[in-house]
Amino acid sequence: MAAFWCAGAAAVPENEEDPRFWRTQAQDTLRRALNRQHNTNVAKNIIFFLGDGMDIATVTAARILKGQLQNRSGEETVLSMESFPYTALSKTYSVDFQIPDSSSTATAMLCGVKTNLNTVGISAAGRNGVCSSQKGNEVTSILRWSKEAGKSVGIVTTTRVQHATPATAYAHSASRTWYSDSDMPLSAKKAGCRDIAYQLIFNTDIDVIIGGGRKYMTPKGTKDPEYPTDVASQGIRGDGMDLIKEWQKRKPGKVAHYVWNKKEFDAVDTNTTDYLLALFEPGDLRFELERDPTTDPSLTEMTEKAIKILQKNPNGFFLLVEGGKIDQGHHASRAAMALHETVMLDEAVERALELTTEEDTLTIVTADHSHSFTFNGFPFRGNPILGKSPVYGKDFLPYTTLLYGNGPGYKIVNNARPDIRKVDTASKDYVQQSSVLLDKETHGGEDVAVFARGPMAHLFHGVQEQNYIAHAMAYAACVGENQGHCAKPLASANDSPGNAGAEHSASRSAQLAGFLLIACLLH
């Protein structure tokens, strides 16, 4: 049996002891559900939030952390994403692996096709690292479909903009690690394959690009403007191309800004700006807990800037926003890092909702995969989410309520776990314990949540294959190949997309059934 140690249970709110509290709350929720009407408008805009590695345990723990940061117990907190009226579960496996990586899942979510591990924007007929196999097997993304439909498009990420998730929006690569030409084998370059950074500039005309990744854009040896004495931050391109200058040259007659620090970023006038390329680090951005707010904007600030630039297009926009450092926090088994990144993503979601309307903007929040992350141990109500369980192990030592199945936190020495009674487990640098030693913690295979709000959000329901997400978004926005249900083209500057959606909403359900039948026959 486990040993128990109790510091005293947290005081239960008095009103929660009264059954009427819970009955009233449930009846209010029931009433809202009964009164909910499907929004069958055409989605003028789509904002797709992707929490990299944001599994359900992470969402729950971040909910509690957000509440505790506001001096509340935490469990009763509602994240902005959790206020969305529709929820589904997404099956994340790739074609070749039970547990996926971020490039195969991004290809499913953005391109509507499941594929193999480590490949970007190509079908499962492509092979990891084999350049010749990507040719003829390229699949395009909803970002591309939206651009072709006349919408503005953007990418915001806390990683490098060439990383797995954002790369899938614009690139086709047999390897997610071909960030620059210097990262590619000579055989792949001779066979004509292009690196991801090159494709960022030359594949699709993206209006807003915000994240990190400067060093993949400039020639080898180019000094970084922020870290001029750091050799590791220098440009690494072997072909001599300066892709930042190439980006600027490809915008004649347009107001196009390249910025690399917050001062320049803040000075960008969203009312007059047509294009924005903002690269704040040589590689990935810093964790939120380590970010210098005087030099680097927050994910919320980046999201707001992107929306304000993109929403000037009367045809609408598609925006991908990735909280990519959630995943990196988990891989390091530093739960504090992962959870604070998740809270920041939720704040970006909240700001996006303030800047748009539910009538014409479909907002999706989901994850690409899970992690070996667990929440356990019978903690009392209000127990610090980054704290220790009141239940001790059979070795009479405490453990944190957040643990990992594997990773760098395996710390058995002389058949004993370390005593963490005097350790600050809420520190950003604390590494949670794990049961199997690995250099990096791995992904998990559980389904992940999909939260949906706005036009056609009710299409996100039940348990679905992950690639369904792209098709449902495209159907809602009338972009991509299947537009038979769209009775009129996208709005001009003088049209009202909301009115257009209302005119044709009566037949959308029957049309959707026909669309799905056709999809099944073609499969």
Side-chain angles (χ1 to χ4, degrees), residues 3 46 106 127 154 158 177 250 285 312 326 337 416 428 442 449:
I46 296 178
R127 296 292 179 264
T158 53
T177 63
R250 293 171 67 83
L285 303 191
K312 299 195 300 290
I326 300 170
M337 290 297 204
K428 66 180 179 64
T442 69

Side-chain angles (χ1 to χ4, degrees), residues 35 59 113 125 144 181 297 336 351 370 375 507:
N35 291 333
V59 172
V113 175
R144 177 71 173 268
D181 66 317
R351 184 60 181 138
S370 69
F375 178 23
S507 62

Side-chain angles (χ1 to χ4, degrees), residues 1-6 335 373-380 383-405 409 411-412 416-426 430-435:
M1 293 180 61
F4 282 81
W5 169 84
C6 296
F373 179 62
T374 63
F375 178 23
N376 63 100
F378 294 107
F380 294 120
N383 194 68
I385 189 61
L386 293 166
K388 308 171 185 74
S389 172
V391 179
Y392 280 18
K394 291 185 71 173
D395 55 3
F396 297 97
L397 292 173
Y399 58 92
T400 55
T401 58
L402 303 178
L403 294 168
Y404 290 91
K411 301 173 182 177
I412 304 299
R417 293 189 300 120
D419 185 348
I420 60 171
R421 280 176 289 188
K422 296 182 180 180
V423 175
D424 178 12
T425 57
Y430 178 73
V431 176
Q432 260 72 18
Q433 295 178 9
S434 64
S435 57

Side-chain angles (χ1 to χ4, degrees), residues 137-207:
N137 294 316
E138 297 90 347
V139 290
T140 55
S141 76
I142 189 169
L143 180 141
R144 177 71 173 268
W145 310 337
S146 299
K147 188 69 178 184
E148 291 174 345
K151 295 179 182 290
S152 294
V153 296
I155 293 170
V156 174
T157 180
T158 53
T159 67
R160 69 205 81 170
V161 296
Q162 305 87 358
H163 209 253
T165 298
T168 303
Y170 59 83
H172 313 286
S173 179
S175 174
R176 57 175 288 181
T177 63
W178 292 351
Y179 303 122
S180 79
D181 66 317
S182 295
D183 298 308
M184 299 175 66
L186 182 60
S187 59
K189 289 186 280 190
K190 286 184 175 180
C193 284
R194 290 289 191 176
D195 62 275
I196 293 169
Y198 179 94
Q199 294 184 61
L200 172 65
I201 304 305
F202 291 97
N203 276 15
T204 301
D205 186 27
I206 303 173
D207 302 87

Side-chain angles (χ1 to χ4, degrees), residues 123-308:
S123 72
R127 296 292 179 264
N128 179 23
V130 181
C131 169
S132 60
S133 72
Q134 78 181 46
K135 297 179 180 179
N137 294 316
E138 297 90 347
V139 290
T140 55
S141 76
I142 189 169
L143 180 141
R144 177 71 173 268
W145 310 337
S146 299
K147 188 69 178 184
E148 291 174 345
K151 295 179 182 290
S152 294
V153 296
I155 293 170
V156 174
T157 180
T158 53
T159 67
R160 69 205 81 170
V161 296
Q162 305 87 358
H163 209 253
T165 298
T168 303
Y170 59 83
H172 313 286
S173 179
S175 174
R176 57 175 288 181
T177 63
W178 292 351
Y179 303 122
S180 79
D181 66 317
S182 295
D183 298 308
M184 299 175 66
L186 182 60
S187 59
K189 289 186 280 190
K190 286 184 175 180
C193 284
R194 290 289 191 176
D195 62 275
I196 293 169
Y198 179 94
Q199 294 184 61
L200 172 65
I201 304 305
F202 291 97
N203 276 15
T204 301
D205 186 27
I206 303 173
D207 302 87
V208 174
I209 303 168
I210 306 176
R214 289 192 296 257
K215 67 181 181 180
Y216 305 106
M217 308 289 282
T218 56
K220 189 173 296 184
T222 302
K223 291 184 177 180
D224 185 80
E226 188 173 6
Y227 313 106
T229 61
D230 182 19
V231 175
S233 297
Q234 292 179 355
I236 63 171
R237 296 197 65 80
D239 58 9
M241 294 189 71
D242 187 326
L243 293 178
I244 295 171
K245 291 181 179 178
E246 287 291 333
W247 177 85
Q248 292 169 323
K249 285 194 300 185
R250 293 171 67 83
K251 304 294 181 287
K254 299 293 184 179
V255 179
H257 297 289
Y258 165 66
V259 302
W260 61 267
N261 59 59
K262 190 173 187 297
K263 182 179 179 181
E264 295 176 345
F265 180 76
D266 289 343
V268 172
D269 185 348
T270 57
N271 292 318
T272 60
T273 298
D274 299 311
Y275 291 91
L276 175 62
L277 174 61
L279 303 176
F280 297 109
E281 290 291 336
D284 299 328
L285 303 191
R286 298 182 182 275
F287 283 104
E288 178 60 23
L289 288 177
E290 297 177 337
R291 178 177 65 87
D292 183 347
T294 65
T295 59
D296 296 325
S298 67
L299 181 59
T300 301
E301 292 171 311
M302 294 189 291
T303 301
E304 177 173 351
K305 184 78 75 172
I307 291 173
K308 287 183 175 180

Side-chain angles (χ1 to χ4, degrees), residues 29 41 68 124 130 240 245 297 314 323 339-340 369 373 388 390 445 463 504:
T29 303
N41 293 340
Q68 292 180 348
V130 181
K245 291 181 179 178
L339 296 190
H340 279 277
H369 53 73
F373 179 62
K388 308 171 185 74
V463 181
H504 308 290

